[in-house]
Amino acid sequence: MAAHETGPRIAILGGGIGGLAAAAFLHREGLTGTVYEQASRLGEVGAGLVVAPNAARQLRRLGALDELRERAVRLDIGWEFRRWQDGTVLSAEDLAADCERLYGEHTYTAHRADLLAALRSRVPAGAVVLGHKCVRVDTRGESLRLEFAHGAVAEADMVIGADGVHSVLRGALFGTSPATFSGLCAFRALVPADQAPDFARRPAQTLWIGPGRHLVHYPVSGGRFVNLVAFAPAGDHTVESWTATATVGEFLAEFAQWDSRLVDLVRASGRPGRWALLDREPLPRWTVGGATLLGDAAHPMFPFFAQGAAQAIEDAAVLARCLADGVGDPAAALRRYEGLRLPRTARLQQVSHGRSHINHLADGPEQRERDARYAHDDPLIANGWIYGYDPDAPDADAVPSR
């Protein structure tokens, strides 16, 4: 593979969390990546997300955590599971006391734009090229050729596809395979804090679970908003897009019989977004020659463990380390990255998929058994394989992810 005299030319498709994290971690390792983003600006698309200890650990090493904390909310109360009908607390986790003790970091909630800004602060000026929608990647030559919608072209020695669930690079490498419709859709909204009930403004991530549905809320943007995301039967809604919307009436109709406090929160949701959850099997490989995938392009997963952003950040950290260690043979470095990351992300895809059944049990014996488990199990410890992961640990390569 040809290399530029100042190092390999690395193109990163997509300026979302995965793409910016990749550019930032490459820069940390002394490598340069150019991010090509289709939007004309890095804006407010998306809503809230959870920054769990495994993500916070990498953001700290990147030097981005302090900036994020200025805009994020630390979950000092923690996690709660509540019953749909009356808000009975099924399980509560005191993250303020336990999270840092167990994993060395706290858990935060943040607006996606604030996480993007923190990552962007660690990317060199000029490394992000906006208004470049990649429509084709030609992998046949010694260099990889990128073609953009407005006619521009670029060449690179390596291409990292961080371009999301509809990845152009994934299609170029492995062809397009149809996704399976899950039968579920997600509603999302940001509710101004002064319009939200008191219980929703607390520094807690609260999950309300009930028959066929569940709903999550937590504060973001320094407490100025409450992020609301809910999952319900999709009916005939099959659009998978961050920009699709619903009406408050449609949102309310799905949760009309739930606890009245929750109904009040939904009623304040303005014009909620709505998108269908499509199901995709884990890919058997991500890498061909000098091209590889990262984040949702490689391993799209249901959001039920709130690990989509965290796994993209982990991918970026491992990819940059592999390339720095193997700069003389980039193709081998990309294969090593894939080997380190694919088993862990495939497991998370699988357990996230199974969570919808557990959360959506109809009232009855199986539901009561689940609720009893929630009362006694400690999810912070049970999910230690997620939150304790550290790719920079001396024995990280020897520790299985499952």
Side-chain angles (χ1 to χ4, degrees):
M1 180 184 300
H4 193 265
E5 61 182 3
T6 59
R9 299 168 298 175
I10 305 173
I12 302 166
L13 302 183
I17 291 167
L20 290 182
F25 277 105
L26 287 169
H27 178 63
R28 176 177 177 251
E29 298 288 352
L31 299 170
T32 299
T34 300
V35 177
Y36 295 99
E37 164 58 33
Q38 65 178 335
S40 58
R41 58 185 293 269
L42 297 178
E44 300 286 321
V45 174
L49 47 78
V50 176
V51 180
N54 54 314
R57 184 176 300 116
Q58 297 309 313
L59 294 173
R60 182 183 296 280
R61 290 190 176 133
L62 195 58
L65 185 59
D66 284 345
E67 178 167 342
L68 179 67
R69 288 193 300 193
E70 293 177 3
R71 309 170 186 178
V73 175
R74 197 175 87 176
L75 294 185
D76 286 338
I77 291 179
W79 294 326
E80 293 178 338
F81 284 84
R82 288 179 177 256
R83 178 166 166 75
W84 68 279
Q85 199 170 34
D86 55 12
T88 298
V89 176
L90 305 174
S91 174
E93 185 72 39
D94 183 355
L95 294 185
D98 296 333
C99 201
E100 188 174 32
R101 174 179 60 83
L102 288 169
Y103 303 120
E105 297 289 351
H106 291 287
T107 296
Y108 305 87
T109 53
H111 193 290
R112 182 177 182 271
D114 293 336
L115 178 55
L116 284 173
L119 290 168
R120 178 72 182 268
S121 73
R122 313 311 296 172
V123 176
V128 180
V129 181
L130 300 174
H132 277 59
K133 179 181 180 180
C134 185
V135 293
R136 186 169 182 269
V137 181
D138 190 340
T139 62
R140 293 173 296 179
E142 185 175 353
S143 295
L144 300 165
R145 178 182 171 89
L146 313 178
E147 300 178 7
F148 300 96
H150 62 294
V153 297
E155 290 191 348
D157 303 308
M158 284 182 279
V159 178
I160 300 167
D163 47 343
V165 295
H166 303 293
S167 171
V168 170
L169 184 60
R170 186 181 62 214
L173 298 180
F174 306 114
T176 56
S177 55
T180 304
F181 183 43
S182 71
L184 294 173
C185 72
F187 294 88
R188 63 175 172 85
L190 284 171
V191 178
D194 60 4
Q195 298 177 29
D198 289 347
F199 73 88
R201 298 200 296 264
R202 300 170 306 136
Q205 180 190 8
T206 303
L207 294 85
W208 299 70
I209 54 178
R213 295 158 177 78
H214 79 277
L215 185 148
V216 184
H217 59 75
Y218 47 79
V220 296
S221 303
R224 293 185 295 112
F225 294 93
V226 173
N227 185 70
L228 182 60
V229 59
F231 303 90
D236 58 1
H237 184 82
T238 59
V239 178
E240 186 187 38
S241 170
W242 280 102
T243 59
T245 61
T247 66
V248 174
E250 290 171 325
F251 195 174
L252 280 170
E254 297 294 342
F255 295 89
Q257 304 305 313
W258 287 45
D259 187 295
S260 61
R261 294 170 295 174
L262 201 63
V263 172
D264 289 342
L265 180 60
V266 171
R267 190 172 284 115
S269 62
R271 186 166 182 80
R274 186 187 189 191
W275 75 97
L277 294 184
L278 300 187
D279 201 8
R280 295 172 173 85
E281 290 293 321
L283 289 172
R285 59 187 298 214
W286 302 345
T287 301
V288 175
T292 195
L293 305 175
L294 180 151
D296 284 349
H299 46 73
M301 59 186 67
F302 286 177
F304 301 149
F305 275 78
Q307 277 287 308
Q311 292 308 302
I313 292 169
E314 287 183 6
D315 285 348
V318 174
L319 174 61
R321 188 185 69 182
C322 288
L323 287 174
D325 291 345
V327 70
D329 190 348
L334 295 184
R335 291 194 299 272
R336 182 165 184 266
Y337 150 74
E338 174 190 298
L340 291 172
R341 293 297 300 158
L342 197 152
R344 173 171 169 81
T345 57
R347 183 185 180 191
L348 266 163
Q349 284 179 279
Q350 291 161 352
V351 298
S352 297
H353 180 278
R355 194 76 188 189
S356 61
H357 171 72
I358 296 169
N359 284 349
H360 296 178
L361 290 173
D363 285 351
E366 195 175 2
Q367 163 261 321
R368 290 191 290 273
E369 180 182 346
R370 176 204 63 194
D371 293 354
R373 287 199 309 271
Y374 278 162
H376 295 288
D377 292 350
D378 186 338
L380 196 60
I381 293 176
N383 294 323
W385 67 275
I386 300 176
Y387 307 128
Y389 174 82
D390 184 354
D392 286 350
D395 59 348
D397 295 354
V399 177
S401 296
R402 52 182 169 177

